[in-house]
Amino acid sequence: MAFSKLGLSHAMLEGVKAMGYVEPTPIQLRTIPLILAGRDVIGSAQTGTGKTAAFALPILTQIDHHEPQPRVLILEPTRELAAQVETAVRDFARFTDLRVAVVFGGVGYGLQREALHKGVDVLVATPGRLLDLMQQGTCKLDRIKYLVLDEADRMLDMGFLPDVRRILQKCPRERHTSLFSATVPPEIETLIQWAMKDPETVEIGARRTPAETVKHVIYPVSDAQKTDLLLELLKRVNYDSVIVFCRTKYGADRVAHLLKRNNHAVAVLHSNRTQREREQALRGFRDGRFEVLVATDIAARGLDIAEVSHVVNYDVPQHPEDYIHRIGRTGRMEAKGDAFTLMVAEDGRHVQAIERFISQKIPRVKLEDFEYRYTALFEENKPGQPSTGPMRARGARVRGGYFYGPAKRRR
Ligand code: AMP
């Protein structure tokens, strides 16, 4: 099915063509007609599926004249996502004269106020800064016709739901609402009941399945050798660009420092960095100046960083859905990717949760010729017996120099 059959405006079709999109992705195929028909939509799809175009194209198709106040509001959990979505919307709208603006915290108010005074048709915003601007009287939402709540579960995780509610209360009741969320926890369910009208759910693929194009494995290792293993992996893997995920900001800084000392071109992305530092990090990583991006989950969630050849989970994610988001950075739009997860003894419970979540066993792998000082992680415990022998002992086999085998049972 071609874009031209979906009922989009001529300007949107031109925009899509200029972006080089040939045919709609599954979420676009399902969502575009629904939004054009005026339905509220709940979208759940893996990252990299093209969800921005899925909501932006049909909304922009229906906005054809200027008004002083914004008519489209897109709420995003982080400044990076907001900036990214604004860029995408500008790209789609390049053959229209729609005015697009983005507001987020961490930067001065001047330019954002100026843009709002001049008049904006499509506003992309993070909740905190938008509320500030509303309280100052700079931004009014009483003309909003289309509201998009993007990455709603992440807004919940970040504690933005009360802000989101306050913003929604200022929008007209007569409006169209779309909500995108990888998971639908009870709080989001309540928000849906409260904010949406008879919504249609569009679920693309099993949202708990990693992209089929990603090969993902686990490297068990002792805590003391984690950094050595990371350095060795980076040395051996033929990567173009790699994201290393860490659990904490402090951990991200530490790993970045280590990689720098070992002559890697590294950028860091986490929420303690200034907006400028974060933008520089992203830009440098996108244009290839930095080959490694060290990031925390919150900073990296949903960012459109294309063509990442590898993802390394330096720390096992604590929420299973973050595993999918992290490894979704690679293997996007059918590019092949590899994802490695370093696992220490204490991570057993989290790894089990991830494996349950994705209904898959992730192969354990041993890096050949790496001097493991502590090998108990590779040993398999049989019930009632102390652990003996390498994990090859039961059912595992050697493939391409790696040991693939069943998971160690944790006591
Ligand atoms: P998103 O899930 O919206 O972040 O999109 C992920 C990536 O897919 C972005 O780089 C988009 O530009 C790209 N993309 C979205 N839709 C299409 C399409 N129909 N054909 C090719 N690329 C697309």
Side-chain angles (χ1 to χ4, degrees):
M1 168 86 112
F3 275 108
S4 57
K5 301 264 161 51
L6 292 176
L8 295 169
S9 66
H10 182 68
M12 286 307 115
L13 293 177
E14 288 297 306
V16 157
K17 201 153 90 191
M19 299 281 285
Y21 299 177
V22 179
E23 49 180 45
T25 64
I27 191 158
Q28 291 162 2
L29 270 180
R30 303 260 319 268
T31 308
I32 291 172
L34 284 169
I35 297 185
L36 286 176
R39 294 292 305 269
D40 281 6
V41 173
I42 301 169
S44 104
Q46 289 166 37
T47 49
T49 49
K51 72 177 154 76
T52 314
F55 65 75
L57 296 173
I59 291 177
L60 298 180
T61 286
Q62 296 174 87
I63 296 286
D64 55 4
H65 65 278
H66 294 310
E67 280 184 27
Q69 305 295 343
R71 269 153 314 136
V72 182
L73 174 63
I74 303 169
L75 286 181
E76 297 287 340
T78 64
R79 334 174 211 200
E80 281 80 11
L81 269 171
Q84 180 181 303
V85 167
E86 187 226 11
T87 306
V89 171
R90 272 186 198 285
D91 282 337
F92 300 137
R94 75 178 85 173
F95 298 107
T96 70
D97 56 2
L98 291 174
R99 297 157 308 182
V100 184
V102 63
V103 300
F104 48 67
V107 293
Y109 284 85
L111 289 175
Q112 299 179 0
R113 272 202 205 110
E114 207 178 297
L116 287 164
H117 279 309
K118 276 193 203 144
V120 168
D121 299 302
V122 183
L123 182 62
V124 187
T126 54
R129 174 58 60 99
L130 179 62
L131 273 175
D132 284 351
L133 289 163
M134 285 160 62
Q135 273 151 14
Q136 293 166 12
T138 313
C139 184
K140 289 206 166 52
L141 302 181
D142 40 19
R143 304 290 298 165
I144 293 295
K145 272 182 81 177
Y146 294 92
L147 175 72
V148 181
L149 303 170
D150 198 15
E151 305 266 345
D153 49 354
R154 186 53 38 154
M155 295 213 252
L156 166 74
D157 287 353
M158 293 174 72
F160 288 152
L161 236 44
D163 284 355
V164 170
R165 278 178 172 267
R166 284 164 65 199
I167 291 167
L168 260 61
Q169 274 161 348
K170 299 285 178 204
C171 295
R173 278 172 170 275
E174 258 321 297
R175 57 154 202 265
H176 170 276
T177 310
S178 314
L179 179 141
F180 292 84
S181 198
T183 55
V184 183
E187 294 89 338
I188 299 293
E189 194 61 60
T190 311
L191 180 72
I192 288 171
Q193 305 279 345
W194 179 70
M196 301 182 78
K197 271 192 300 258
D198 186 26
E200 180 86 16
T201 301
V202 175
E203 199 167 325
I204 297 301
R207 63 174 174 237
R208 297 181 159 201
T209 324
E212 278 163 20
T213 46
V214 183
K215 183 171 149 251
H216 53 134
V217 294
I218 286 178
Y219 285 90
V221 66
S222 68
D223 214 10
Q225 282 195 293
K226 250 177 132 174
T227 50
D228 290 344
L229 185 71
L230 173 68
L231 289 172
E232 195 56 34
L233 268 172
L234 291 181
K235 219 184 272 174
R236 297 208 201 169
V237 167
N238 187 13
Y239 67 84
D240 300 321
S241 54
V242 50
I243 305 189
V244 178
F245 283 101
C246 294
R247 192 171 298 153
T248 62
K249 300 167 200 177
Y250 169 75
D253 281 335
R254 211 170 44 88
V255 167
H257 185 66
L258 170 92
L259 294 177
K260 266 185 213 150
R261 270 207 331 259
N262 283 272
N263 301 321
H264 290 282
V266 184
V268 194
L269 198 69
H270 61 60
S271 50
N272 268 11
R273 314 213 78 210
T274 64
Q275 179 61 16
R276 223 170 119 221
E277 286 170 330
R278 283 154 41 134
E279 272 165 14
Q280 274 170 354
L282 262 184
R283 201 171 320 120
F285 186 64
R286 282 204 178 104
D287 67 23
R289 248 180 316 128
F290 303 119
E291 52 187 7
V292 184
L293 179 70
V294 183
T296 56
D297 284 309
I298 288 191
R301 163 87 178 224
L303 286 181
D304 180 24
I305 305 172
E307 292 166 38
V308 176
S309 64
H310 293 78
V311 166
V312 179
N313 292 320
Y314 183 78
D315 297 309
V316 172
Q318 292 187 319
H319 302 291
E321 63 269 27
D322 281 336
Y323 184 77
I324 302 281
H325 287 295
R326 287 185 184 188
I327 74 171
R329 310 289 97 224
T330 179
R332 286 161 78 84
M333 299 308 287
E334 307 288 305
K336 285 257 187 288
D338 282 13
F340 309 137
T341 299
L342 307 194
M343 169 183 154
V344 299
E346 294 71 36
D347 292 327
R349 201 165 44 85
H350 291 306
V351 168
Q352 278 174 7
I354 290 167
E355 291 182 326
R356 261 200 314 275
F357 186 77
I358 64 176
S359 310
Q360 266 180 38
K361 197 95 199 145
I362 310 168
R364 272 54 164 175
V365 168
K366 195 171 181 181
L367 192 63
E368 222 187 347
D369 299 329
F370 177 77
E371 257 186 57
Y372 286 93
R373 267 183 265 141
Y374 173 77
T375 53
L377 272 165
F378 292 98
E379 292 170 0
E380 196 186 351
N381 297 341
K382 297 195 175 120
Q385 279 184 18
S387 60
T388 51
M391 69 178 212
R392 268 200 289 171
R394 196 174 70 187
R397 58 205 172 90
V398 181
R399 236 198 288 159
Y402 293 146
F403 296 140
Y404 281 76
K408 173 178 178 269
R409 193 194 309 273
R410 281 178 53 78
R411 277 177 289 185

